[in-house]
Amino acid sequence: MSISSAICNSFKQEILVGTHNFTASSGNTFKIALYTSSANLGASTTAYATNPGGGSNTEITNTSGSAYSAGGATLTSVTPALDSSTAVCDFADVSFTSASFTANGCLIYNDTQSDKAVATIAFGGDKTVSSGTFTIQFPTADASNAIIRIA
């Protein structure tokens, strides 16, 4: 199994029919779920699942405390904007405190719209936290770096 970084193919079609609304104050609810290296996530991912690709135990589980729950964390959207001629979307960084787990990648998905997949992100290897804080830092919302960009 593997995780690759990609904007999901289904998302590309869904934005053209108005499925997703990223407006901060009145848009959909987006979440981020964390996965182990056993997950199969990439451009062909269409929706959140605890075991994408048929693997077993592929969404992470918190080994102590209650820092992570199935389905992940709710993201705080930043209303999309233009950076020159590129539309960009961003989220506030998200942290899991008092956490103990290992994650290899994640899925951003639309919780409001039947858990439809938006993007998958590979962390470049296992990232482990033990009784600490695990933070996902989103890049600058500009034409070169934003997590979601349409040029």
Side-chain angles (χ1 to χ4, degrees):
M1 302 295 189
S2 68
I3 300 174
S4 61
S5 295
I7 295 293
C8 298
N9 293 333
S10 56
F11 172 75
K12 295 172 189 177
Q13 183 272 331
E14 291 162 357
I15 60 173
L16 294 177
V17 296
T19 300
H20 303 276
N21 180 351
F22 288 89
T23 306
S25 60
S26 60
N28 298 148
T29 299
F30 293 88
K31 295 185 84 173
I32 189 164
L34 304 177
Y35 291 88
T36 70
S37 59
S38 297
N40 187 21
L41 297 170
S44 63
T45 301
T46 59
Y48 162 78
T50 57
N51 295 320
S56 61
N57 252 349
T58 56
E59 184 176 12
I60 67 117
T61 55
N62 197 50
T63 57
S64 68
S66 59
Y68 187 86
S69 299
T74 300
L75 294 170
T76 302
S77 293
V78 176
T79 298
L82 282 175
D83 182 22
S84 188
S85 62
T86 301
V88 297
C89 182
D90 191 23
F91 299 99
D93 296 347
V94 63
S95 294
F96 301 91
T97 57
S98 301
S100 294
F101 56 72
T102 299
N104 191 271
C106 65
L107 169 69
I108 297 172
Y109 67 98
N110 189 334
D111 192 46
T112 305
Q113 296 293 333
S114 304
D115 297 338
K116 292 180 183 297
V118 173
T120 59
I121 302 166
F123 293 160
D126 284 344
K127 304 298 179 194
T128 301
V129 61
S130 180
S131 299
T133 300
F134 187 90
T135 301
I136 297 174
Q137 294 179 324
F138 287 96
T140 304
D142 62 31
S144 299
N145 300 297
I147 198 70
I148 300 172
R149 338 183 258 279
I150 302 172

